[in-house]
Amino acid sequence: MKKIGVILLLLLLGGLAIGYYLYNKPKTDYTDIKAEMSITATELFNAFNQDEPKAMGLYQNKVLAVSGAVSLIEKNQKNETVIYLASEDPMFGIQFTMLGSDSLNYIKLEPGNTTTLKGLCVGFTNDVVLTNATVQK
């Protein structure tokens, strides 16, 4: 009976260690990775808005360079910078969660500026969501 308790404790500790590692693992830096395709914010948003399954097949898990006008810059719950590029929809657009290591490049951006941001496309809520984003050079 004691052996089972020890085994369960070891399994629990192992699971906690794996969970801690996955939660804290560093984000992939796409700064030096070439974008698989370039697209405007409006084109990308319209593709998802018109046919989400088709757009997911085309863009999900791909590094995209997206050009457009900055509509909003804010911080999320993890204190990460989130930059939104405008689409033709007045409420929704393209959401980029920026890499902190690229802050010298995106700190100069302001709403209304036109820019190209590069990130990994992970899906669509009401906005098209890209993570680990950097400013395209």
Side-chain angles (χ1 to χ4, degrees):
M1 198 64 171
K2 234 181 183 180
K3 269 187 172 182
I4 293 174
V6 170
I7 291 172
L8 289 175
L9 179 64
L10 289 174
L11 287 173
L12 177 66
L13 289 174
L16 289 172
I18 290 170
Y20 179 80
Y21 169 76
L22 292 175
Y23 181 78
N24 291 302
K25 78 178 191 178
K27 294 184 176 192
T28 304
D29 187 346
Y30 295 105
T31 305
D32 297 326
I33 296 175
K34 185 177 180 193
E36 294 178 51
M37 59 184 73
S38 296
I39 191 167
T40 68
T42 298
E43 292 170 337
L44 183 60
F45 181 81
N46 288 342
F48 275 92
N49 200 34
Q50 292 167 2
D51 189 351
E52 184 179 347
K54 181 180 176 185
M56 290 294 278
L58 289 171
Y59 303 115
Q60 188 177 32
N61 296 323
K62 291 190 170 56
V63 177
L64 306 177
V66 184
S67 301
V70 175
S71 61
L72 177 67
I73 301 172
E74 64 182 9
K75 296 279 187 178
N76 65 14
Q77 298 87 349
K78 293 182 179 179
N79 204 33
E80 300 165 315
T81 300
V82 179
I83 298 176
Y84 294 86
L85 295 185
S87 68
E88 290 175 346
D89 187 297
M91 303 254 323
F92 306 111
I94 314 297
Q95 173 188 323
F96 291 86
T97 303
M98 305 301 290
L99 278 176
S101 60
D102 194 45
S103 63
L104 290 177
N105 291 315
Y106 65 74
I107 201 151
K108 304 170 202 161
L109 293 175
E110 295 178 0
N113 292 151
T114 300
T115 189
T116 301
L117 302 176
K118 179 173 62 172
L120 181 69
C121 183
V122 294
F124 181 71
T125 52
N126 289 320
D127 297 302
V128 180
V129 180
L130 289 93
T131 63
N132 304 342
T134 60
V135 176
Q136 174 97 12
K137 296 178 181 177

